[in-house]
Amino acid sequence: ARQAVAYEGPAPRLVAALKDDRRRRLASVIAGIVTAVVPPPPQGAALVPVPLGARRARQRGFNQSLLLAHELGRSWGRPVCDILVRVREGADQRGSGATARALQASGAFAARSGAATPSIAWLIDDVHTTGATLADCARALRAAGASSVGAACFARVLHGVPDELPNVLSWAPTSPPGR
């Protein structure tokens, strides 16, 4: 999976404002950050948003990953295929560890019955935490016929990973050495 920023600094507040405060317009801001950092998927790829469960969709009123997928699709010139569904509801994963997330995500996603599955699919999500959700969504897409699955997310939680991700929300360019 490719991601634009580390899930630190202002990134968690931006995601919370989108999801919890229901500030849908922030999807275009977040997508702008993603397109500034993450290269577009290959030609022929379709963007597939990570789905919400029915209960969470009713509570929130929208799927933030679908909003991001539409914004990214416009920027990258790629179609959006909303073909995944959550077939098993899970508890809110915020604060859950890797094992709990893997158990919750395992077998939780499937392609809609009769939906045309793109050969090249790129999953779109707001936050990549442990990779369990993306892995199960990729499993569902491959089971439905996708030959290649990639992913792009706004932010990634770094679990002791060296600080290898740019945080463009607080990044300031520096002069190259020798200048």
Side-chain angles (χ1 to χ4, degrees), residues 86-171:
R86 184 178 266 279
V87 295
R88 188 170 37 81
E89 293 279 340
D92 188 344
Q93 292 189 0
R94 285 185 241 189
S96 297
T99 303
R101 285 174 175 270
L103 289 172
Q104 274 189 331
S106 181
F109 301 97
R112 295 180 201 279
S113 180
T117 303
S119 177
I120 305 170
W122 265 48
L123 291 161
I124 302 298
D125 205 1
D126 55 347
V127 179
H128 172 186
T129 306
T130 65
T133 296
L134 293 175
D136 199 65
C137 287
R139 177 209 49 81
L141 286 168
R142 285 189 191 99
S147 61
S148 175
V149 179
C153 301
F154 167 60
R156 179 177 172 200
V157 175
L158 301 175
H159 301 283
V161 174
D163 191 12
E164 63 198 39
L165 299 176
N167 194 333
V168 297
L169 297 176
S170 61
W171 177 79

Side-chain angles (χ1 to χ4, degrees), residues 13-27 52 55-64 67 94:
R13 291 189 305 277
L14 190 56
V15 170
L18 171 63
K19 290 164 62 165
D20 302 332
D21 298 342
R22 295 174 174 82
R23 294 177 57 194
R24 295 180 191 198
R25 291 183 183 172
L26 290 176
L52 288 179
R55 180 177 35 87
R56 176 83 54 213
R58 278 192 306 276
Q59 288 172 343
R60 189 169 294 147
F62 64 94
N63 176 354
Q64 72 281 354
L67 293 178
R94 285 185 241 189

